[in-house]
Short mmCIF file of all heavy atoms in Angstrom, two decimals:
data_model
loop_
_atom_site.label_atom_id
_atom_site.label_comp_id
_atom_site.label_asym_id
_atom_site.label_seq_id
_atom_site.Cartn_x
_atom_site.Cartn_y
_atom_site.Cartn_z
N GLY A 91 -19.04 -11.65 -9.97
CA GLY A 91 -18.67 -11.37 -11.35
C GLY A 91 -17.21 -11.19 -11.64
O GLY A 91 -16.85 -10.81 -12.74
N ALA A 127 8.01 0.92 -12.77
CA ALA A 127 9.05 0.41 -11.87
C ALA A 127 8.99 -1.12 -11.87
O ALA A 127 8.09 -1.72 -11.26
CB ALA A 127 8.86 0.95 -10.47
N GLY A 131 6.71 -3.76 -9.50
CA GLY A 131 5.63 -4.48 -10.15
C GLY A 131 5.77 -5.98 -9.99
O GLY A 131 4.79 -6.69 -9.73
N GLU A 185 5.35 20.69 -8.24
CA GLU A 185 5.66 21.89 -7.46
C GLU A 185 4.39 22.66 -7.15
O GLU A 185 3.57 22.93 -8.04
CB GLU A 185 6.63 22.79 -8.23
CG GLU A 185 7.11 23.99 -7.45
CD GLU A 185 8.07 24.86 -8.22
OE1 GLU A 185 8.26 24.60 -9.44
OE2 GLU A 185 8.61 25.80 -7.63
N MET A 212 -7.82 4.04 -22.08
CA MET A 212 -9.24 3.76 -22.32
C MET A 212 -9.53 3.41 -23.77
O MET A 212 -10.34 2.51 -24.05
CB MET A 212 -10.08 4.97 -21.90
CG MET A 212 -10.20 5.14 -20.41
SD MET A 212 -11.12 6.64 -19.98
CE MET A 212 -12.73 6.27 -20.67
N ILE A 216 -11.35 -0.02 -24.37
CA ILE A 216 -12.70 -0.02 -24.92
C ILE A 216 -12.78 -0.84 -26.20
O ILE A 216 -13.72 -1.61 -26.40
CB ILE A 216 -13.18 1.43 -25.16
CG1 ILE A 216 -13.45 2.11 -23.81
CG2 ILE A 216 -14.44 1.47 -26.03
CD1 ILE A 216 -13.66 3.61 -23.91
N ARG A 240 -5.86 24.94 -3.99
CA ARG A 240 -4.85 25.95 -4.27
C ARG A 240 -3.51 25.31 -4.62
O ARG A 240 -3.12 24.30 -4.06
CB ARG A 240 -4.66 26.85 -3.05
CG ARG A 240 -5.83 27.77 -2.74
CD ARG A 240 -5.53 28.63 -1.54
NE ARG A 240 -6.59 29.59 -1.26
CZ ARG A 240 -7.64 29.32 -0.48
NH1 ARG A 240 -7.76 28.10 0.06
NH2 ARG A 240 -8.57 30.23 -0.28
N ASN A 241 -2.81 25.97 -5.55
CA ASN A 241 -1.40 25.69 -5.85
C ASN A 241 -1.14 24.33 -6.50
O ASN A 241 -0.01 23.87 -6.51
CB ASN A 241 -0.55 25.83 -4.58
CG ASN A 241 -0.62 27.22 -3.99
OD1 ASN A 241 -0.72 28.21 -4.72
ND2 ASN A 241 -0.60 27.30 -2.67
N ALA A 243 -2.70 23.60 -9.81
CA ALA A 243 -3.55 23.79 -10.99
C ALA A 243 -3.43 22.67 -12.03
O ALA A 243 -4.46 22.15 -12.49
CB ALA A 243 -3.26 25.14 -11.63
N VAL A 253 -12.52 12.98 -14.64
CA VAL A 253 -13.94 12.83 -14.33
C VAL A 253 -14.79 13.12 -15.56
O VAL A 253 -15.73 12.38 -15.88
CB VAL A 253 -14.34 13.76 -13.16
CG1 VAL A 253 -15.86 13.79 -12.98
CG2 VAL A 253 -13.67 13.30 -11.87
N ARG A 257 -17.23 10.37 -17.48
CA ARG A 257 -18.67 10.57 -17.69
C ARG A 257 -19.04 10.51 -19.18
O ARG A 257 -20.05 9.91 -19.56
CB ARG A 257 -19.09 11.92 -17.10
CG ARG A 257 -19.16 11.93 -15.58
CD ARG A 257 -19.39 13.32 -15.06
NE ARG A 257 -19.88 13.29 -13.68
CZ ARG A 257 -19.78 14.31 -12.84
NH1 ARG A 257 -19.20 15.44 -13.23
NH2 ARG A 257 -20.25 14.22 -11.62
N ALA A 260 -18.74 6.95 -20.47
CA ALA A 260 -19.81 6.13 -19.90
C ALA A 260 -21.10 6.27 -20.70
O ALA A 260 -21.81 5.28 -20.95
CB ALA A 260 -20.04 6.52 -18.44
N LEU A 261 -21.41 7.50 -21.11
CA LEU A 261 -22.60 7.72 -21.93
C LEU A 261 -22.46 7.07 -23.30
O LEU A 261 -23.40 6.47 -23.83
CB LEU A 261 -22.84 9.22 -22.09
CG LEU A 261 -23.26 10.00 -20.85
CD1 LEU A 261 -23.30 11.49 -21.16
CD2 LEU A 261 -24.62 9.53 -20.35
N GLY A 267 -22.60 -2.28 -23.13
CA GLY A 267 -22.31 -3.10 -21.98
C GLY A 267 -20.98 -2.78 -21.31
O GLY A 267 -20.44 -3.61 -20.57
N LEU A 294 -3.42 17.38 6.83
CA LEU A 294 -4.29 16.63 5.94
C LEU A 294 -5.35 15.87 6.72
O LEU A 294 -6.53 15.88 6.38
CB LEU A 294 -3.47 15.66 5.08
CG LEU A 294 -2.63 16.27 3.97
CD1 LEU A 294 -1.67 15.24 3.40
CD2 LEU A 294 -3.53 16.83 2.87
N MET A 309 -9.48 2.28 -1.03
CA MET A 309 -9.65 2.73 -2.42
C MET A 309 -9.80 1.52 -3.35
O MET A 309 -10.62 1.52 -4.28
CB MET A 309 -8.46 3.57 -2.87
CG MET A 309 -8.07 4.69 -1.91
SD MET A 309 -9.41 5.84 -1.53
CE MET A 309 -9.38 5.73 0.28
N PRO A 328 -18.38 9.42 -10.50
CA PRO A 328 -17.14 9.71 -9.76
C PRO A 328 -17.41 9.46 -8.27
O PRO A 328 -18.11 10.24 -7.62
CB PRO A 328 -16.87 11.18 -10.06
CG PRO A 328 -18.22 11.77 -10.35
CD PRO A 328 -19.11 10.65 -10.83
#
Side-chain angles (χ1 to χ4, degrees):
E185 185 180 7
M212 287 176 63
I216 289 169
R240 291 181 176 88
N241 300 325
V253 170
R257 285 172 162 158
L261 292 173
L294 287 169
M309 310 304 126

